[in-house]
């Protein structure tokens, strides 16, 4: 279904020896949608730059102006950075790095845009503001970590983190409570969630990613009041989203979070407002679809 990732989308015209290089570090990176999104944004603003997927971890000898990181590099990079934003430092993971080449040998600053990307998607795709709201978050991995911290930062009144491996949910809840003393946050297993009646249900597990499954056998007992947010974007509509729609709830997939984390990364690198509409169109084109 996905097309265009391997070419990295349309390259900016006039790419030359002065072009600034940005990229994505990870393994595997060949199917990333980020090159299409960022290259479209550079072109839209006439910025002489290119975004490249790097399937290796060695960037020491290349003057790269900025890059994204995927698993497993998000935490491993932290000790190598000269500067961390408060978001990245709270989460302990970095998805975006900026290199200041005016320093001899470069100087790396890291941030994490996953949380802000998630919040902007909630706002723009669902019109949902977490302030004073109760949220049930499924999953306790890297994505859940960024989402949990962002929800508490945004003023959520209560956060229940439910995960197959209950110890991971409890460990994440403890980290959240440390960063937000007094916050109502707890970690649980996936059973016994009936009657929680959260305003928002978030799926940050990988269940639903092309496996035709939902992380919850039955949605009704949870009593979700307003909306369901998926971080999965392949497929664009997951079994959980269909369950939610049948129950009359608002839904969104993970495209918005992917888009807005990318937009925030773009701004972190360039200091420019990101051309979000251009980036969204490039993302959807790269996924071989015209809308969702
Ligand atoms: P990411 O960084 O994308 O969040 P991750 O750290 O590997 O990825 O986390 C994957 C999440 O999906 C975890 O919460 C994982 O649950 P466990 O901590 O118990 O492994 C969850 N997950 C993956 N496969 C699952 C499955 N088949 N059933 C339930 N949860 C699953």
């Amino acid at each position: 279904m996905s097309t265009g990732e391997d070419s990295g989308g349309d390259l900016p015209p006039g790419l030359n020896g002065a072009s600034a290089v940005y990229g994505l570090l990870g393994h595997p990176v060949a199917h990333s949608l980020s090159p299409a999104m960022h290259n479209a944004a550079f072109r839209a603003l006439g910025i002489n730059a290119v975004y490249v997927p790097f399937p290796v971890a060695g960037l020491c000898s290349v003057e790269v102006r900025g890059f994204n990181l995927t698993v497993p590099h998000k935490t491993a990079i932290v000790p190598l950075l000269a500067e961390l934003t408060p978001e990245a430092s709270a989460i302990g993971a970095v998805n975006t790095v900026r290199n200041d080449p005016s320093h001899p040998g470069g100087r790396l600053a890291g941030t994490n845009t996953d949380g802000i990307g998630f919040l902007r998607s909630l706002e723009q795709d669902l019109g949902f503001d977490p302030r004073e709201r109760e949220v049930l978050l499924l999953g306790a991995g890297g994505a859940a970590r960024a989402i949990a911290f962002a929800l508490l930062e945004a003023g959520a009144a209560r956060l229940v983190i439910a995960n197959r491996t209950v110890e991971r949910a409890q460990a994440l809840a403890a980290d959240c409570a440390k960063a937000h003393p007094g916050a109502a946050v707890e970690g649980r297993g996936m059973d016994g969630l009936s009657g929680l009646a959260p305003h928002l249900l978030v799926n940050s597990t990988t269940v639903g990613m092309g496996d035709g499954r939902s992380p919850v056998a039955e949605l009704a007992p949870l009593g979700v009041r307003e909306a369901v947010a998926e971080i999965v974007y392949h497929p664009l509509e997951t079994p959980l989203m269909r369950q939610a729609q049948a129950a009359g709830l608002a839904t969104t997939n993970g495209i918005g979070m992917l888009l807005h984390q990318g937009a925030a990364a773009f701004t972190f690198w360039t200091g420019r407002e990101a051309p979000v509409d251009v980036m969204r169109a490039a993302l959807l084109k790269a996924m071989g679809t015209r809308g969702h």
Side-chain angles (χ1 to χ4, degrees):
M1 190 65 188
S2 53
T3 56
E5 292 99 325
D6 293 339
S7 68
D10 298 328
L11 286 179
L15 204 58
N16 53 38
S19 304
V21 177
Y22 297 86
L24 167 69
L25 206 70
H27 190 83
V29 291
H31 297 290
S32 169
L33 297 165
S34 293
M37 178 166 67
H38 285 296
N39 286 323
F42 289 137
R43 194 171 54 167
L45 298 193
I47 294 175
N48 182 9
V50 63
Y51 183 107
V52 188
F54 293 97
V56 291
L59 284 176
C60 303
S61 57
V62 188
E63 190 186 283
V64 174
R65 294 283 286 277
F67 50 91
N68 287 133
L69 294 151
T70 62
V71 173
H73 307 294
K74 285 182 168 185
T75 47
I77 188 104
V78 171
L80 307 177
L81 304 173
E83 196 184 312
L84 268 184
T85 61
E87 301 91 285
S89 148
I91 297 169
V94 159
N95 78 331
T96 304
V97 175
R98 177 178 62 212
N99 185 20
D100 180 354
S102 67
H103 283 253
R107 184 177 186 280
L108 303 180
T111 191
N112 195 312
T113 64
D114 288 333
I116 188 71
F118 177 73
L119 291 179
R120 285 190 190 151
S121 169
L122 283 188
E123 180 195 325
Q124 303 207 348
D125 302 334
L126 292 174
F128 186 91
D129 179 355
R131 184 163 299 282
E132 303 298 331
R133 300 299 237 284
E134 299 181 15
V135 182
L136 171 57
L137 171 61
L138 305 179
R145 197 172 175 79
I147 289 169
F149 277 81
L151 286 167
L152 292 173
E153 192 66 37
R158 182 178 184 215
L159 177 63
V160 175
I161 302 167
N163 195 47
R164 175 178 62 179
T165 310
V166 64
E167 294 79 10
R168 281 185 95 190
Q170 287 166 342
L172 176 54
D175 287 350
C176 287
K178 212 182 290 173
H180 291 270
V185 50
E186 60 178 295
R188 298 190 178 190
M190 292 289 279
D191 296 329
L193 303 176
S194 294
L196 274 181
H199 295 95
L200 174 71
L201 171 68
V202 183
N203 176 36
S204 79
T205 75
T206 49
V207 180
M209 203 179 280
D211 59 10
R213 298 173 50 217
S214 166
V216 291
E218 276 191 281
L219 186 60
L222 302 185
V224 179
R225 285 189 257 178
E226 291 184 24
V228 171
E230 268 282 8
I231 66 157
V232 172
Y233 52 82
H234 207 313
L236 291 172
E237 190 175 86
T238 64
L240 174 64
M241 288 168 68
R242 281 197 292 276
Q243 285 171 296
Q245 285 156 11
L249 298 166
T251 62
T252 189
N253 59 27
I255 286 285
M257 179 175 175
L258 176 66
L259 169 67
H260 290 291
Q261 67 75 29
F266 185 89
T267 297
F268 186 70
W269 292 328
T270 63
R272 305 274 300 268
E273 190 176 328
V276 174
D277 291 341
V278 167
M279 296 172 86
R280 180 187 293 107
L283 256 186
L284 294 175
K285 184 174 166 209
M287 291 192 74
T289 176
R290 293 281 162 196
H292 63 100

